[in-house]
Amino acid sequence: MIGFMQGRLSPLINGKIQSFPWKFWKDEFPIANKNHFRLIEWTLDKSKLYKNPLMTKVGQKEIKFLSSKHNVSVQSLTGDCFMQEPFYKTSGLKRKVLLKDLSNIIESCDLLGIKYIVFPLVDNGKIENKEQERVLKDGLGQFDSILYTSGIKIIFESDFSPKRLNRFISGFSPDNYGINYDIGNSAANGFDMEDEIDAYGERILNVHVKDRLLHGATVPLGSGNADIPNVLKKLKAIGYNGNCILQTARADDGNHIGILCQYRNQLIEWMH
């Protein structure tokens, strides 16, 4: 199913390409329905984490109501909060607090039927050494039981080379963990998509669709270095049937709804 990253149907917040749309999040459900979108990927920032509707009882009721009323589901969540303050780069009480945040996020996702938590290992969340990787694995291991029971999977998005990501993900059980494949990020890193999908394709559970320049920024679909049609063809060849989430460039003219629909139609054309 084709979905979109929360906020893409709202005005820019402080010029950021991606941020939780505090004033507009409710509006995105009817707008999505009107424009034939049936899927939103939620976004969660560290700032005001416990005020995010996903994390409050009242908010959870509203999300369920809006989702049902407008026939727009929330199946995945991008945890930018994990990248903004990575628990594996802290210690002591700070680490315990951040792990408690993760526990509460998993619990909220379970209540809402969200099955995938995207865990970004990029930018500030980048794994820089073996010790950070060890702390990450040990910390996440505390949640293996609740992940298995709930059916929720943590899916990593990383800037690892194909071989390194294959080695990394092989250390995590497929029962609880997988990969979020970001087409644009891979293009920006100069990775060969054939090598990537051959290396770990069976662990890909969610796909972010965007276009980026080599070592550069997000650009309109079809104008960057991502070979999106052939990526989709390769994913189809290995039997991928998960979601494709539009995490695309924003509109220069402010018509964010129009450009998202245009990108969706382009994606459908490439798929077929």
Side-chain angles (χ1 to χ4, degrees):
M1 190 187 302
I2 296 174
F4 65 95
M5 188 64 65
Q6 189 178 40
R8 287 309 198 271
L9 293 178
S10 300
L12 286 170
I13 313 291
N14 299 323
K16 293 180 182 177
I17 191 170
Q18 185 167 306
S19 184
F20 182 75
W22 289 96
K23 293 181 181 177
F24 308 103
W25 73 269
K26 295 179 190 177
D27 299 331
E28 288 202 322
F29 284 88
I31 292 170
N33 177 286
K34 183 180 178 183
N35 289 279
H36 311 293
F37 286 101
R38 297 287 170 256
L39 185 66
I40 292 176
E41 183 163 297
W42 204 265
T43 60
L44 202 56
D45 294 312
K46 186 68 176 77
S47 173
K48 300 194 288 187
L49 176 67
Y50 286 95
K51 291 186 178 178
N52 189 294
L54 182 117
M55 302 295 287
T56 71
K57 296 298 181 190
V58 171
Q60 290 162 2
K61 282 185 179 179
E62 285 186 290
I63 293 166
K64 287 179 179 177
F65 171 75
L66 290 166
S67 180
S68 175
K69 180 180 180 182
H70 299 290
N71 191 26
V72 178
S73 66
V74 183
Q75 297 175 11
S76 53
L77 170 150
T78 279
D80 285 340
C81 52
F82 309 129
M83 173 178 64
Q84 290 153 358
E85 288 195 37
F87 73 80
Y88 44 93
K89 296 189 179 186
T90 63
S91 59
L93 181 60
K94 180 68 173 175
R95 184 184 293 169
K96 286 182 180 178
V97 169
L98 291 172
L99 284 168
K100 181 61 177 172
D101 289 345
L102 175 54
S103 175
N104 291 332
I105 290 165
I106 292 170
E107 186 180 323
S108 294
C109 287
D110 190 22
L111 287 167
L112 288 166
I114 292 172
K115 291 302 178 189
Y116 298 121
I117 297 175
V118 179
F119 202 104
L121 303 176
V122 297
D123 299 331
N124 192 54
K126 183 184 180 79
I127 296 280
E128 297 165 305
N129 53 55
K130 287 289 184 183
E131 176 61 11
Q132 289 178 5
E133 187 171 327
R134 183 193 67 76
V135 174
L136 172 71
K137 193 169 183 181
D138 287 351
L140 293 178
Q142 301 173 31
F143 306 107
D144 282 347
S145 177
I146 181 63
L147 290 172
Y148 186 79
T149 304
S150 65
I152 294 171
K153 288 182 170 64
I154 287 176
I155 54 177
F156 299 107
E157 181 177 312
S158 82
D159 56 5
F160 293 164
S161 68
K163 284 184 179 178
R164 187 180 175 194
L165 184 49
N166 176 277
R167 285 197 304 271
F168 174 82
I169 196 63
S170 67
F172 291 86
S173 167
D175 289 337
N176 296 337
Y177 299 93
I179 290 170
N180 180 77
Y181 184 66
D182 189 301
I183 298 173
N185 290 358
S186 288
N189 282 315
F191 296 147
D192 182 288
M193 66 90 179
E194 295 265 356
D195 292 343
E196 291 181 301
I197 297 171
D198 285 343
Y200 53 74
E202 75 282 355
R203 299 298 295 271
I204 296 173
L205 299 175
N206 196 55
V207 172
H208 283 174
V209 178
K210 65 171 175 272
D211 204 345
R212 285 181 64 182
L213 299 171
L214 181 64
H215 310 309
T218 300
V219 294
L221 286 192
S223 65
N225 286 82
D227 186 1
I228 298 171
N230 278 322
V231 171
L232 295 170
K233 186 177 179 182
K234 179 76 174 176
L235 287 169
K236 185 177 181 181
I238 66 162
Y240 178 76
N241 61 359
N243 295 327
C244 288
I245 305 295
L246 292 164
Q247 196 185 28
T248 39
R250 306 304 296 269
D252 291 331
D253 61 0
N255 183 14
H256 301 296
I257 299 170
I259 197 69
L260 194 71
C261 290
Q262 181 183 315
Y263 290 148
R264 185 260 320 276
N265 296 339
Q266 177 67 74
L267 186 59
I268 291 171
E269 191 177 308
W270 282 332
M271 283 175 160
H272 296 295

